[in-house]
Structures are given as C-alpha cells and as structure tokens.
Amino acid sequence: ITFPQGYLAGALNMRHEPDPEKYVSILRLFMENFLKLAPLTLTGSILGTAFLAPVQRKFSKNVPPVMGWYSGLTGAGKTFILDAACSLFGPNLLINESHRVSWTWSKVSIEQQGQYFQDSLFLIDDFKLRTLGMRKDQALAIIQNFYDRTGRGTLKRDRSFNPPTIIKGFVVVS
C-alpha cells in the first residue's frame, strides 16, 4: 500500500511533514541508544508501548486500552527510560517535565492533565502504596476510569456540570 504524501502526518495530527531522511536517521540513532539503557525485555516493552500509543485508539474502538506498568527498585532509572520514550512524541514533552504527573496529585488533576495527551504516552510517575496513603481509592478510580474510557463530571456552584475529563493518553506507570 502506498500512502499519499503527508497522509501519515495527518493521521498522527502532526503539524508538518517530517523530512523522511532526517526522521529515519534520528529514529535509528534513538533506537540504537535506547535499547542499551536497560535489558531488552524492559526497553523492548517500552518501545512497543510507545509505538502502539498513536494507533491503538484508531484500530481498537471496542477493545479496552492497554496500560504499561513498569515496576522496580527506586532509583533504578525507570522514569529516565520512560522520559526518553516520551520524547518520541515531541520536544514539548520534555519542557519542565510537563508530561509527567505523580500519583501524589489529586485524581481530578491527573485526569485533567491526561486529557491533553491523546495518541501519545502519558506518564504517571512514582506509584508507591506508602505514598498514596488515603488516596488508594483515588488511584483505583483513575485506573478504572482509564480502562472504561470514562471520567467523572463535577458540579459547579450554579449546579451546572463541568464535562468529565477523560485520560486520552496511553498511560504508562512507573
């Protein structure tokens, strides 16, 4: 199948057509170095998750979303590797770590941030039961809402409703 010029960029909501030669060389360099960061079982899984993110919603409307869950010792470099994978979706995801939220954030804040990450990785960092404390139910609700592709609307002062915020990104958890 031959796609017309610009088709891929339009399907991925890119603003411009990337230079094919430059894109391929950068991607090759990234892949060679990324795969050396950790054992292939980890980096391969993360790359698979990253490449699945832009296409999963388009090809599986009735299939529940997939969540990447990466666990390990504190300081082992999980967040660094996931940050590198997030950089595949553009340089803006690296500015001020704005692409990463923490489980210590409120449920509403996590869901509001997640609605802006459609078709890209959305990193929720630092899942630890001891840091969740009383918010364990909120973490479970976030995961359930993500899998159901639903959100919780909130009530305004005038008794009208704010629309529900739904996490549109491909959630990866460290």
Side-chain angles (χ1 to χ4, degrees):
I1 299 172
T2 304
F3 293 106
Q5 186 73 5
Y7 178 81
L8 180 63
L12 298 177
N13 293 326
M14 294 177 154
R15 288 186 220 142
H16 65 282
E17 179 69 29
D19 176 17
E21 290 177 17
K22 183 178 178 183
Y23 182 73
V24 168
S25 64
I26 289 172
L27 188 58
R28 184 176 295 124
L29 180 65
F30 176 86
M31 297 283 284
E32 289 170 0
N33 291 304
F34 184 82
L35 293 174
K36 295 176 187 175
L37 291 175
L40 188 58
T41 54
L42 177 63
T43 54
S45 171
I46 292 172
L47 275 181
T49 302
F51 288 115
L52 185 59
V55 297
Q56 192 223 0
R57 285 175 19 103
K58 293 180 180 14
F59 297 113
S60 60
K61 301 233 185 269
N62 297 324
V63 177
V66 178
M67 178 183 285
W69 198 285
Y70 302 97
S71 60
L73 296 174
T74 298
K78 298 177 303 293
T79 301
F80 175 77
I81 293 169
L82 289 169
D83 280 343
C86 288
S87 73
L88 288 170
F89 296 93
N92 292 338
L93 293 179
L94 297 175
I95 297 171
N96 299 324
E97 299 178 348
S98 63
H99 65 283
R100 187 186 331 144
V101 300
S102 172
W103 286 100
T104 58
W105 289 25
S106 73
K107 176 183 179 297
V108 173
S109 297
I110 291 173
E111 289 177 338
Q112 285 177 343
Q113 187 79 353
Q115 72 181 345
Y116 298 111
F117 285 81
Q118 183 170 330
D119 301 335
S120 65
L121 293 180
F122 177 58
L123 174 58
I124 307 178
D125 192 30
D126 211 21
F127 182 87
K128 295 177 185 152
L129 288 176
R130 63 181 164 80
T131 59
L132 288 176
M134 302 295 284
R135 293 186 301 272
K136 291 175 187 163
D137 291 339
Q138 288 182 357
L140 181 60
I142 290 169
I143 293 167
Q144 286 175 331
N145 286 348
F146 172 72
Y147 276 111
D148 295 339
R149 291 188 175 124
T150 61
R152 180 176 163 228
T154 55
L155 192 62
K156 295 180 186 177
R157 281 187 185 183
D158 63 357
R159 296 189 181 139
S160 62
F161 285 96
N162 285 319
T165 53
I166 299 168
I167 296 176
K168 296 177 182 173
F170 196 103
V171 174
V172 288
V173 178
S174 70

